[in-house]
Amino acid sequence: MDPAPRDLPSLLREAQARLLAGRPDEALIVYEHVIERFPQSGEARLGAAQACLELGRLVDAIQHYEQALVQRPAHAPAFYALVETLIAHDQLDLAVDAFVRYHERVPSSPEREALQRRLASTTQHQLDVWTDAVDVASSGQRRTSVPQVLCYAPYNMWRLHGLWELTILHALRLRGAEVRHVLCNALYAECDLFWAATRPRHRLSCAECQASVTRLFWEMQAPYEWLGQHLQPSDYAEARTWAASVPTHRLLDATYQDWTLGAWIKSSVHTHLRRNVLVVEDEQTEMIIRRYLYSGWVAAQGLERLLDQAAPDVLFLFNGRMSSTRIALELARRRGIRVVTHERGWLNESLRLAVNVQVNSLKPRKALWQAWGGVPLATAELERVQGYLNDRAQGRNTNWTAFNAPSQAADEVRAALGLQEGRPLWVLFTSSEDERIGSDEIVGAFPSQQAWVQAAVEFAASQPGLDFVIRAHPNIAGKRANGTNQEQLAQLEALRDQLPPTVRLIMPQDAVDSYALMHAATVGLVYNSTVGLEMACQGAHVIEASTSLVSDLPFVRTVHSPVQFGHALREALRLPPRARRPEVQQQAMRFAYALFFRENVPFPLVRMITPREGELAYTALSALEPGQDPHLDRVARILLDQAPVCRPPSPEEQARTEADEQRWLATLYPRNA
């Protein structure tokens, strides 16, 4: 249905007529058309909300009321309609939250005072708690004795992360913290929920996200606010003008005043397009970068004002890598605000946390080795980490969809690839690097991963007695991949046509067991991949050519230049086939245990159904009270008490001997016993 009238008053009359005629579905279509053409129309938002209510779409109605108040915080009709709707649907806690968030901007009136009295007398809140909340919101003052926690959460459409986050924030409230949870309300032209390579944006993407997130918060009975409350209509125009004015050759290092927005959004652009190299002259790439720059400007402006107003003690933030979360991290650090970032853990149903850095930063991992590298493992710890490594090889107990093919024996893989038994086998494992390549911490020995692969192939061609296999990462392309990295796939296809006879290339889609290759290999060549740690945990000789989890640790050979790489390859030629060293395995297992079981935080309160979906494993907030779950208590101490993410070793642990490790290694290396 295409509404005929084209001016705003006529369109509104048409929608109202359809609503009064008992046709809310048709009315909603007209109201949505009005909102698309006249997004600042508060009357259209109110009408759309009413139509949604009549259609039974409560969450969508709330979203329209909220959006009207974001655009015009003093919009009294939207304020009263929102609060009254929540009361009518028995959502009294959310009604209180909405009143606290918006009442200050609405003109004082007997109606507003009467509404406050109704809420104070009918909610389950204590009257003094309610009054204090209103006073704090009105005056902007903070109780200095109460921890102030701010959570900026633009990606809770990924429900699993939202459940983790909301569970933790509920727990912080139960421990006396004041928590503000700030969401994105359709602010950005591009964001990390809708990558072109995996889930392209569509016309209603933002509406889909807001509806999903609002529903989640409704289910979790959690208060929230919109970042858009801290933005003015003129901000969007200024952001658009600035993003369009940046010269093409300066897009990736674009700055606005002291905001280095080009650097802050770069990693997201790499992942959005799944490209390792961003060619700004490419029309599509330029457009995407400019849209991320616009979005970054909007995020920075809103977040600066939010941080001014909230003055938090700690900012709780998802990963700290992706576009606006990276911007939030950088702006908070500049102010000296402590930032705790979170992400899915290494194991299923677990979390990783980091302080004042992106959650994937290598700095905490190097500190982990410094703290725990000298602490021997007990037998139970050795068995635990070995069991987990075995699980990884079988695709179990991981934090993501398993990439590896079904289990195969090493001799099966050798036969399938035409490799000769007894000949040394070197395996090069590429990395799916578009998520990591935007990080300043990732520095390779070569200008690119492709240059590293080419250098290794040239060396292998000069060694006719050496079997050499390239295992392309399964996440580059194929059914298990998170989209396709077309650039990297094209490079592999071109490489396949020029390989010498002794070099085999396993493409991303090929069903070859990577772990069988690890077991069969004499040498592993890696470039920023967890494979380096997993092979070292087998005692294998690993040559690392990029900064990574294990680079510069004593159980791998790390190279920092093409010359060093050549030296390392020539040295490795002297190794016997199937060379394994107990001292390498001993050190690697210590690091692996510290990474997977000391730093990692189990989180059984939320069940992981898929990498994006989850469900609660508890049914009442009492399960989140202090003392009920030791892992949740640990997270709360990290956030509220500045406890370290990973505790240091105790004197008893530091005093351990290597006796258990030596007995365990003796069963694996009987000739060395």
Side-chain angles (χ1 to χ4, degrees):
M1 179 183 59
D2 183 19
R6 301 188 61 83
D7 60 290
L8 178 58
S10 298
L11 283 168
L12 290 173
R13 286 194 298 271
E14 171 71 12
Q16 182 69 13
R18 294 173 188 268
L19 194 60
L20 293 174
R23 302 198 300 273
D25 51 343
E26 296 179 8
L28 184 58
I29 292 173
V30 181
Y31 280 126
E32 288 177 343
H33 176 72
V34 175
I35 291 168
E36 185 176 354
R37 290 188 56 202
F38 306 99
Q40 301 300 318
S41 174
E43 189 174 350
R45 289 284 182 186
L46 292 179
Q50 183 61 40
C52 287
L53 287 174
E54 294 189 20
L55 291 167
R57 293 165 52 179
L58 178 61
V59 171
D60 294 334
I62 299 303
Q63 181 182 342
H64 280 299
Y65 288 138
E66 292 269 12
Q67 190 63 38
L69 286 163
V70 165
Q71 294 170 344
R72 196 172 124 209
H75 196 300
F79 167 74
Y80 289 113
L82 171 61
V83 177
E84 293 288 1
T85 298
L86 291 169
I87 293 173
H89 287 82
D90 201 28
Q91 299 297 325
L92 300 178
D93 286 351
L94 293 178
V96 169
D97 173 66
F99 188 99
V100 170
R101 283 189 283 131
Y102 296 118
H103 83 283
E104 186 184 9
R105 304 284 188 92
V106 175
S108 179
S109 67
E111 184 181 4
R112 196 186 78 175
E113 293 173 6
L115 182 58
Q116 178 173 339
R117 286 193 298 271
R118 281 175 58 204
L119 287 169
S121 63
T122 58
T123 65
Q124 298 175 1
H125 288 263
Q126 296 285 337
L127 182 59
D128 56 347
V129 174
W130 154 252
T131 304
D132 178 63
V134 173
D135 291 343
V136 169
S138 300
S139 65
Q141 296 175 351
R142 294 292 185 182
R143 298 193 300 265
T144 56
S145 61
V146 177
Q148 305 297 314
V149 179
L150 173 64
C151 178
Y152 169 59
Y155 300 131
N156 277 345
M157 186 176 172
W158 291 330
R159 184 180 175 87
L160 178 64
H161 294 283
L163 291 173
W164 280 328
E165 201 167 79
L166 285 162
T167 297
I168 291 168
L169 294 177
H170 273 315
L172 299 185
R173 291 187 183 94
L174 291 170
R175 288 156 177 78
E178 286 190 1
V179 176
R180 294 179 65 177
H181 211 158
V182 181
L183 314 178
C184 166
N185 52 302
L187 299 178
Y188 306 136
E190 296 291 354
C191 78
D192 295 78
L193 287 171
F194 299 100
W195 291 325
T198 56
R199 186 179 188 171
R201 177 178 287 268
H202 55 83
R203 187 173 64 87
L204 296 178
S205 289
C206 288
E208 176 189 358
C209 175
Q210 282 185 280
S212 170
V213 171
T214 305
R215 187 173 295 110
L216 172 64
F217 276 69
W218 188 282
E219 293 170 7
M220 293 289 288
Q221 291 290 285
Y224 63 91
E225 58 191 271
W226 300 116
L227 182 61
Q229 295 171 225
H230 301 277
L231 290 158
Q232 303 298 326
S234 60
D235 293 327
Y236 303 103
E238 187 172 353
R240 194 171 293 108
T241 299
W242 172 77
S245 71
V246 177
T248 302
H249 70 283
R250 298 300 304 273
L251 286 174
L252 294 178
D253 58 359
T255 61
Y256 179 87
Q257 296 178 359
D258 63 342
W259 301 338
T260 56
L261 294 171
W264 293 346
I265 58 93
K266 180 183 177 184
S267 179
S268 284
V269 178
H270 278 288
T271 314
H272 184 103
L273 298 170
R274 291 223 63 190
R275 292 180 186 168
N276 300 345
V277 178
L278 299 177
V279 180
V280 296
E281 294 78 12
D282 173 74
E283 185 175 344
Q284 182 197 22
T285 304
E286 178 184 358
M287 178 192 69
I288 293 298
I289 296 173
R290 291 191 188 277
R291 289 169 65 87
Y292 267 104
L293 287 176
Y294 161 82
S295 304
W297 194 103
V298 170
Q301 185 70 277
L303 288 164
E304 290 276 33
R305 291 173 182 157
L306 172 63
L307 293 171
D308 282 339
Q309 194 267 336
D313 298 308
V314 61
L315 173 65
F316 190 41
L317 193 64
F318 172 61
N319 80 32
R321 174 185 82 87
M322 296 176 174
S323 52
S324 69
T325 65
R326 169 72 183 276
I327 292 167
L329 169 66
E330 299 294 345
L331 297 181
R333 288 197 302 193
R334 290 181 175 190
R335 295 165 179 255
I337 297 169
R338 186 168 179 265
V339 184
V340 177
T341 53
H342 67 90
E343 249 288 8
R344 64 181 70 248
W346 293 102
L347 285 70
N348 189 16
E349 297 178 4
S350 69
L351 296 176
R352 282 179 290 155
L353 302 174
V355 178
N356 291 334
V357 292
Q358 299 176 39
V359 81
N360 286 326
S361 171
L362 300 178
K363 294 175 183 177
R365 274 85 236 187
K366 305 308 179 184
L368 195 65
W369 173 256
Q370 292 300 317
W372 288 97
V375 177
L377 296 179
T379 300
E381 293 169 337
L382 288 162
E383 292 173 349
R384 187 182 187 191
V385 70
Q386 185 61 64
Y388 173 61
L389 291 169
N390 292 341
D391 280 347
R392 285 180 65 90
Q394 298 298 321
R396 298 190 299 261
N397 198 13
T398 63
N399 64 3
W400 196 256
T401 303
F403 291 123
N404 197 40
S407 180
Q408 297 173 297
D411 56 352
E412 290 179 303
V413 173
R414 280 185 172 275
L417 296 175
L419 305 174
Q420 298 180 28
E421 187 67 39
R423 282 166 59 94
L425 170 63
W426 292 14
V427 183
L428 180 150
F429 294 89
T430 74
S431 173
S432 173
E433 62 178 339
D434 45 81
E435 284 192 21
R436 302 286 290 165
I437 201 167
S439 170
D440 296 336
E441 294 183 359
I442 305 302
V443 180
F446 289 80
S448 68
Q449 181 177 206
Q450 185 64 20
W452 165 70
V453 172
Q454 193 62 47
V457 169
E458 291 173 3
F459 179 86
S462 68
Q463 303 297 324
L466 175 68
D467 281 336
F468 195 94
V469 172
I470 300 170
R471 187 13 163 162
H473 197 289
N475 194 38
I476 294 172
K479 292 181 180 179
R480 296 184 179 90
N482 188 27
T484 299
N485 187 322
Q486 298 289 355
E487 169 197 340
Q488 206 166 354
L489 183 62
Q491 291 172 343
L492 290 168
E493 290 170 344
L495 177 67
R496 182 171 52 189
D497 297 333
Q498 54 177 309
L499 291 177
T502 55
V503 177
R504 315 291 197 277
L505 173 60
I506 302 172
M507 295 295 283
Q509 310 95 318
D510 294 346
V512 175
D513 188 346
S514 298
Y515 287 88
L517 283 171
M518 294 183 211
H519 284 290
T522 306
V523 174
L525 282 65
V526 296
Y527 197 91
N528 187 259
S529 169
T530 55
V531 169
L533 174 59
E534 292 173 286
M535 289 195 69
C537 283
Q538 301 172 14
H541 185 77
V542 176
I543 301 175
E544 172 63 76
S546 172
T547 47
S548 71
L549 276 173
V550 297
S551 59
D552 296 310
L553 297 186
F555 50 85
V556 300
R557 173 77 156 87
T558 304
V559 299
H560 298 284
S561 69
V563 172
Q564 290 183 4
F565 184 59
H567 289 322
L569 296 181
R570 288 189 289 274
E571 291 169 2
L573 288 173
R574 297 194 291 269
L575 294 170
R578 288 286 301 156
R580 294 291 187 267
R581 289 182 292 163
E583 67 276 12
V584 166
Q585 190 162 6
Q586 179 182 22
Q587 292 175 323
M589 293 291 271
R590 289 181 186 179
F591 181 73
Y593 190 86
L595 183 71
F596 299 137
F597 297 108
R598 301 194 197 280
E599 182 189 62
N600 206 64
V601 182
F603 209 80
L605 289 164
V606 176
R607 299 188 188 96
M608 180 176 164
I609 300 172
T610 72
R612 299 288 193 215
E613 292 295 322
E615 65 181 13
L616 297 181
Y618 61 94
T619 57
L621 288 180
S622 58
L624 311 182
E625 291 178 351
Q628 295 299 306
D629 184 278
H631 310 299
L632 184 60
D633 288 342
R634 174 184 169 189
V635 173
R637 289 194 299 271
I638 293 168
L639 279 158
L640 300 182
D641 303 328
Q642 300 192 28
V645 172
C646 182
R647 66 171 179 82
S650 67
E652 293 76 15
E653 288 165 326
Q654 290 177 321
R656 285 179 180 176
T657 70
E658 297 183 359
D660 282 4
E661 289 180 332
Q662 292 303 323
R663 282 192 292 271
W664 185 76
L665 290 167
T667 64
L668 303 176
Y669 301 89
R671 295 180 182 178
N672 295 347

